[in-house]
Amino acid sequence: MSKVKNWHLQREIEYPYDESRPKKQWAIVFDLNKCIACQTCTLACKTTWTSGKGQEYMFWNNVETKPWGGYPLAWDLRILEKLGRQAWSEKGEYQGKTIIEAAPETERVLHWAPTDDDWMYPNVGEDDCGGGTQDGGGHIPNTPHDKWFFYLPRTCAHCTYPACLAACPRKAIYKREEDGIVLIDQSRCKGYGECVRACPYKKSMYNPYTRTSEKCIGCYPAVEQGVQPQCVVNCIGKIRVMGFINPPWKAREDNPVDYLVHKKQIALPYYPQLGLEPNIYYIPPVHADRAYLRQMFGPLVDGAIQRYKELPRDPVAHGLLCLIGSTDRIMHRFDVKRGIAAGFDEKGEEIVRVPVTEPVVERAAFDPKYNAIRNNTP
Amino acid sequence: MDRRRIVPFALGAVLLAACSNKKPPTTTEEKIEPLKELSAKKVSVDLATPDPGAAYWQDVPAGAATLAAQPMITPRPSISFTEKLIIQAIHDGTRVAFRLRWKDTEKSEAGHLGEYSDAAALQFPVKDGPPPLVMMGQKDGPVHIFHWRAQYQRDEEKGKPDMKDLYPNASVDMYPLEFKEAKALNANASETEKFSPGVAEGNPQSYVKKGVDEIIAEGFSTSSVQKGHGSAAKGEWKDGTWTLVVSRPLAIEGGSTLRPGAKGNVAFAVWQGGKGEVGSRKCVTMFWTPVSIL
C-alpha cells in the first residue's frame, strides 16, 4: 500500500498505487438547488452511449430522489452501513477509515455486490418524500422525518483514487493522464465484476451481453475536442458545468471549477469519507436536512450553504453562474468585467460572453408598425 | 468410479458408523490416495471428443489433489470452498486428457448481473526446465492455461445467449439500427456490433466460446486469451459433483508441450461461481504436480 494525499480528507490515505495526478482532472459541478429531475441528462447519456444489447438497465448518468431513492437500490446506505460510524474533525479532517483502509485482509476494497434485484428500480422512492402515499403509487408509508427531499444527479466521479481501478485484478482499468478520465479497457476486461463490487458509487456496470464491465466514459470524444459531456450540455436547468479541477495547492481563481470548489468553497464532493477523491462536486441543497447533508458532504456543508446564500451579492460569482449552461464548450478560464461575464477555452480564445444582468426593455403594449398587440406569450 | 466398489464400501461405512457412532464417509472418493504424481497411460480411444462418463475412465488410477483458497493476491476467498480435486490422466499419442472431479452443491452458469460461472483450469509451464512460479508463472516464465467455464460450455452447446435468452420477460422497444419494420434499412451485424463495446473491440470474452479458453500468462494480472490449439472440454454436473474432462494436444507450438516418455508439470484451479468465485477468487493447488506421459 502507498500513502497518497487526499485533500478532500485533509490527510494521507492508503491506496494500492502511488499518487499520480493527471495533467488535468475532469470534473463536474452540480447545483442541487436547481435540479428538477427532468432526467434529460439521463436520456442524453442513454441515447448517446448505452442503447446497445446488455446496456438496457444501464444509466451511466442517473438522477435519484434523496434521501430514499437510489440506483442501484440503496447503494449509499449499504456501503455506509458496512463502513460504520466514522468521525470527522470540525475543520474537515477525516478521522475515520476509507473503504480501502477498512477492507478485510482478503479484499482490496470494502464493498457490497449488487445483483439483478438491486438494479431493477432506477429510482424507487422517487418523490415519495413530497407526500406521495402508497395508495397514490408511493412506496414509503411514513417517513421518520419532516417532508424534505432533493434530487441528486450522478455520473462516474472519475475519482483521483478510483476503487474500480484499485480492485481490478487484470489491470484493465486506467486513468488517463491527459484528463483524468477513468476507463475500462474493453479489449482486456474479462467481466470479473470486481469494479462493480468495489465502486461505492456503483458506477461500474456489468454488460451481460458482451460479458465485460462498462462505465461512464466522461464523453471523452467530446472532451478531447473541447466540448462538455452530453449530460452537461443537455441540462435544461443549466445546473451543471464541466471543467478541469486543480488540487487546492494549484487552484486558479479564474478557473470556473476551482472558483466554485476552492475559492468560494460552495461545492463539495459527495461521500468524501469513502476516500476516493471523487471529482463530481455538489452545491448542497439549502433546504434539506443538515444532518443528512453532513453525512453526504462532510462537515464543511454548513459553511458551503451559508456562502451560497451570499452569492447574489458577489458580482463575480453571479457572473460565473450566468456562464454555466451558456456554452457547450469547456471553459478553462472566465472573467467578469463591467457587468459582462466571459468564458475562454484552453487556448485563451473567448467562447462565450453573457451579460450578468439581462437588459430589460419596456415596450408599449401596441405595435403600430405591425398593427399588432404585443404580449408576453412566447 | 466403479459402482461395484462403491456398494460394499458404503455398506461397510454405514455398519461402521452404526457401531462407532461416527459420521460415515459419503463417497468412495475419500479413500483415494493423495496425488503426488500423475501418470498418463496410452489408451486406444479418440480423446478429441472428451467424455467424462466414458467407461474407460474406470480403469484409470486417480489421485486427490488438495486445493486451498488462492493466497497470494487480493481479492481472494476467505475460505477454501473447494478443498479436494480428484484427478486422472490418459493420452492417445496425440492428445492428453485430464478428468477432474470436485464437489459443488449448485451448478452455476452465470448470465445475469452478479452471477458467476463454475470453472476449472489446468496450467502447464511453456518452457522446459525448472517450472516457473506455480501462481500463474512469472516474467520470462510463461504458463499455458486451459480454462474451462460452465458458461463457455453453454455457449458451445446452445450458442451465445442473447438478451432474450437471459431475460425472457424483458421489454425492449428497439436496439440501434435494428428496426421492427421489415422495409427499414436494417443494419448488418458489423454495424450493430459497434453498439456493443466488448464485441466491437474484439474482446474474446464477448464472442461465442467453445467451452475452453487457452490463455498465456506471465504472472498475476497478465493473462491473455490466445488463439486456441484444438483443446476441448466437457463437464457434467450431477448430484453436487462436477466431472470435467479437458483434452489438449500433447505438442503445441509456442505453448506447452508434453512429450511421451518425459515428465512435465501441471497445476489446477477451481472456481465455484455460486460462491462468488471469479478471477483471483479461486481455489488452487499450491504446488506443481509432475505428470508423465507413458
Side-chain angles (χ1 to χ4, degrees), chain A residues 17 47-57 60 104-109 111 113-117 119 166-171 185-194 196-197 205-212 214, chain B residues 73-78 111-114 116 147 149 151-152 155 160-163 166-167 172 174-176 178 195-199 201 203-209 213 215 220-225 276 278-281:
Chain A
Y17 301 105
T47 51
T48 307
W49 298 119
T50 58
S51 55
K53 284 180 183 171
Q55 299 176 320
E56 296 85 350
Y57 79 100
W60 291 354
E105 64 174 14
T106 54
E107 300 288 342
R108 294 188 185 182
V109 181
H111 68 260
T115 62
D116 269 351
D117 288 348
W119 293 107
C168 179
R170 285 181 63 73
K171 296 183 180 167
D185 182 344
Q186 288 299 309
S187 64
R188 177 140 184 81
C189 174
K190 218 170 169 187
Y192 295 162
E194 294 295 349
V196 181
R197 302 189 205 214
M205 300 166 197
Y206 178 73
N207 181 325
Y209 181 72
T210 62
R211 302 191 283 215
T212 58
E214 300 174 359
Chain B
I73 64 157
T74 53
R76 54 190 167 88
S78 50
H112 293 167
L113 308 178
Y116 302 99
H147 183 205
R149 269 195 198 182
Q151 182 185 29
Y152 298 165
D155 269 19
K160 183 167 170 271
D162 207 342
M163 293 311 291
L166 294 172
Y167 297 93
V172 176
M174 63 167 282
Y175 292 108
E178 288 184 31
F195 294 89
S196 294
V199 182
E201 280 295 307
N203 187 332
Q205 187 68 10
S206 303
Y207 284 82
V208 63
K209 295 283 190 177
D213 262 355
I215 292 167
F220 284 115
S221 310
T222 65
S223 72
S224 154
V225 177
V278 66
S280 57
R281 299 174 193 271

Side-chain angles (χ1 to χ4, degrees), chain A residues 121-321:
Chain A
Y121 314 99
N123 196 9
V124 72
E126 181 175 15
D127 292 359
D128 275 8
C129 302
T133 62
Q134 284 183 300
D135 289 344
H139 300 87
I140 302 164
N142 292 299
T143 56
H145 55 70
D146 288 341
K147 285 172 185 169
W148 59 266
F149 69 92
F150 63 94
Y151 299 120
L152 185 74
R154 309 197 296 126
T155 66
C156 167
H158 298 282
C159 302
T160 306
Y161 304 113
C164 58
L165 188 153
C168 179
R170 285 181 63 73
K171 296 183 180 167
I173 302 182
Y174 60 103
K175 185 169 176 67
R176 306 210 309 177
E177 192 185 8
E178 60 266 42
D179 51 22
I181 289 174
V182 177
L183 296 176
I184 300 173
D185 182 344
Q186 288 299 309
S187 64
R188 177 140 184 81
C189 174
K190 218 170 169 187
Y192 295 162
E194 294 295 349
C195 55
V196 181
R197 302 189 205 214
C199 174
Y201 303 104
K202 292 293 171 260
K203 281 298 179 188
S204 277
M205 300 166 197
Y206 178 73
N207 181 325
Y209 181 72
T210 62
R211 302 191 283 215
T212 58
S213 296
E214 300 174 359
K215 63 179 284 301
C216 159
I217 58 171
C219 284
Y220 72 83
V223 170
E224 286 171 2
Q225 298 178 54
V227 175
Q228 300 185 65
Q230 287 287 72
C231 60
V232 178
V233 301
N234 283 284
C235 175
I236 62 167
K238 301 187 175 185
I239 78 141
R240 49 170 102 185
V241 63
M242 179 257 155
F244 295 103
I245 188 167
N246 291 300
W249 56 93
K250 286 185 181 173
R252 284 192 295 112
E253 274 189 34
D254 61 358
N255 171 328
V257 177
D258 282 356
Y259 182 85
L260 295 169
V261 174
H262 297 308
K263 165 73 175 165
K264 300 304 283 187
Q265 297 184 3
I266 58 168
L268 298 166
Y270 78 147
Y271 296 121
Q273 65 268 43
L274 303 175
L276 312 181
E277 221 186 274
N279 288 300
I280 54 180
Y281 295 83
Y282 294 101
I283 298 174
V286 297
H287 59 275
D289 182 79
R290 285 297 172 90
Y292 183 80
L293 293 182
R294 278 181 216 118
Q295 176 179 266
M296 180 175 275
F297 299 111
L300 303 181
V301 74
D302 297 294
I305 289 175
Q306 183 60 35
R307 286 185 289 277
Y308 179 70
K309 287 179 172 173
E310 293 164 3
L311 279 195
R313 293 191 290 278
D314 182 330
V316 176
H318 192 170
L320 175 56
L321 294 183

Side-chain angles (χ1 to χ4, degrees), chain B residues 173-190:
Chain B
D173 293 337
M174 63 167 282
Y175 292 108
L177 303 180
E178 288 184 31
F179 305 106
K180 287 175 180 166
E181 187 69 37
K183 286 183 286 186
L185 288 170
N186 282 291
N188 60 36
S190 70

Side-chain angles (χ1 to χ4, degrees), chain A residues 317-364:
Chain A
H318 192 170
L320 175 56
L321 294 183
C322 291
L323 284 171
I324 292 176
S326 295
T327 175
D328 62 354
R329 311 285 301 170
I330 298 173
M331 281 189 288
H332 289 256
R333 184 169 71 80
F334 80 104
D335 68 25
V336 181
K337 289 177 189 163
R338 294 180 290 280
I340 299 291
F344 304 88
D345 67 11
E346 194 164 18
K347 292 178 184 166
E349 290 176 12
E350 185 178 300
I351 50 176
V352 60
R353 168 175 287 261
V354 294
V356 177
T357 304
E358 289 279 349
V360 176
V361 179
E362 285 190 28
R363 299 188 296 179

Side-chain angles (χ1 to χ4, degrees), chain B residues 144-161:
Chain B
H144 192 161
I145 297 168
F146 299 81
H147 183 205
W148 169 89
R149 269 195 198 182
Q151 182 185 29
Y152 298 165
Q153 180 166 309
R154 189 184 57 186
D155 269 19
E156 190 177 31
E157 291 167 356
K158 300 177 184 171
K160 183 167 170 271

